């Protein structure tokens, strides 16, 4: 069961781990969207919204799992390497740590912002450490919607990382969001096919520089 503050259940963490353990084996209701530079992206139509949920599998060379997980959780560092971040911070509201994230969208579209909770766990599965980060949208009255920015109220993401057996990381990502408004199909397709892989590549580059920061 989820906590009273909207946290994540043990089952959710276990399900995310299982996805990485299966690595690319998905159900028949998922279709392969693309395969490029070591990444496979699958999608499944969400009939309620008419939008797609996505699963991404890939390997990031020369990026240790623990470092990759630390980078993903480090919001201040992300503002240095993620070019699409307009504003990003976390604060505590009602005893719960909440993240505010505003994403730059190309002109003439409005930026999108997200309010979400997240939780990281480092699990031991058959003697191998697996890093899991779960995130989902929430709402707090202390962060009202802003003029000129579209609030994304449906957002869910899972990130699972483990060693590739060498110096790199095996990565699984699940994500779904409903950006609202009128988004051109070309932008939706670009984000699906390029946005997440490019994000992972940028995170891998940031991994190489992380030791300089620390």
């Amino acid at each position: 069961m989820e906590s009273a503050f909207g946290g994540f259940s043990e089952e959710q963490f276990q399900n995310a781990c299982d996805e990485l353990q299966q690595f690319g084996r998905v159900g028949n209701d998922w279709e392969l969207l693309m395969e490029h530079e070591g990444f496979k992206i699958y999608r499944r139509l969400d009939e309620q919204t008419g939008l797609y949920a996505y699963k991404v599998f890939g390997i990031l060379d020369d990026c240790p799992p623990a470092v990759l997980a630390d980078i993903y959780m480090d919001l201040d560092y992300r503002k240095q390497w993620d070019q699409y971040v307009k504003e990003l911070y976390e604060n505590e509201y009602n005893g719960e740590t909440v993240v505010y994230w505003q994403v730059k969208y190309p002109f003439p579209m409005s930026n999108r912002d997200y309010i979400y909770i997240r939780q990281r766990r480092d699990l031991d599965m058959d003697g191998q450490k697996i890093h899991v980060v779960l995130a989902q949208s929430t709402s707090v009255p202390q962060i009202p919607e802003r003029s000129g920015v579209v609030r994304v109220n449906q957002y869910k993401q899972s990130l699972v990382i483990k060693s590739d057996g060498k110096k790199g990381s095996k990565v699984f990502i699940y994500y779904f969001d409903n950006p609202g408004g009128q988004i051109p199909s070309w932008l939706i397709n670009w984000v699906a096919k390029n946005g997440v892989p490019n994000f992972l590549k940028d995170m891998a580059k940031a991994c190489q520089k992380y030791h300089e920061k620390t």
Side-chain angles (χ1 to χ4, degrees):
M1 296 294 292
E2 296 183 0
S3 73
F5 290 110
F8 303 95
S9 67
E10 292 290 340
E11 183 180 8
Q12 287 174 292
F13 279 96
Q14 184 61 55
N15 289 343
C17 282
D18 291 344
E19 291 279 6
L20 184 60
Q21 298 294 72
Q22 295 167 11
F23 202 71
R25 297 195 300 271
V26 299
N28 293 332
D29 52 344
W30 291 85
E31 64 171 312
L32 180 63
L33 179 64
M34 66 168 291
E35 185 173 359
H36 181 63
E37 295 185 3
F39 292 98
K40 286 186 176 182
I41 303 178
Y42 297 85
R43 70 179 184 178
R44 182 179 66 184
L45 182 66
D46 179 79
E47 295 184 359
Q48 184 175 358
T49 62
L51 301 170
Y52 286 95
Y54 297 91
K55 290 183 178 181
V56 182
F57 299 88
I59 294 177
L60 296 177
D61 297 324
D62 300 319
C63 194
V67 176
L68 194 62
D70 287 345
I71 288 173
Y72 186 79
M73 295 297 291
D74 190 334
L75 299 183
D76 287 334
Y77 186 47
R78 181 169 178 175
K79 287 184 279 189
Q80 299 178 32
W81 60 265
D82 187 346
Q83 61 180 316
Y84 297 105
V85 169
K86 174 68 174 178
E87 188 174 351
L88 182 62
Y89 65 86
E90 62 181 358
N91 213 336
E92 189 169 300
Y93 302 98
N94 307 319
E96 182 176 57
T97 300
V98 174
V99 177
Y100 175 84
W101 174 36
Q102 185 179 152
V103 180
K104 298 175 185 175
Y105 266 57
F107 180 83
M109 288 176 286
S110 300
N111 287 353
R112 264 58 179 173
D113 67 2
Y114 300 71
I115 300 172
Y116 65 92
I117 57 172
R118 63 177 184 165
Q119 187 176 348
R120 171 182 171 179
R121 290 190 188 177
D122 299 334
L123 307 176
D124 189 288
M125 301 284 290
D126 300 324
Q128 186 174 33
K129 181 167 285 190
I130 300 182
H131 309 275
V132 185
V133 183
L134 303 181
Q136 67 182 21
S137 54
T138 188
S139 61
V140 292
Q142 297 93 330
I143 311 180
E145 296 188 21
R146 300 183 182 185
S147 176
V149 180
V150 177
R151 176 66 46 87
V152 177
N153 294 312
Q154 291 178 281
Y155 167 70
K156 185 177 181 181
Q157 186 176 61
S158 306
L159 171 69
V160 190
I161 309 165
K162 73 173 183 179
S163 172
D164 67 347
K166 301 176 184 178
K167 296 181 179 179
S169 298
K170 273 189 173 182
V171 179
F172 163 75
I173 290 180
Y174 167 90
Y175 71 98
F176 173 82
D177 69 23
N178 183 351
Q182 298 298 317
I183 306 296
S185 59
W186 67 263
L187 180 58
I188 293 175
N189 290 333
W190 183 90
V191 170
K193 294 183 177 180
N194 300 284
V196 172
N198 286 346
F199 170 78
L200 289 171
K201 291 175 187 176
D202 288 345
M203 192 161 63
K205 292 177 183 177
C207 183
Q208 308 304 320
K209 300 177 181 179
Y210 196 61
H211 69 280
E212 300 173 5
K213 171 183 178 297
T214 56

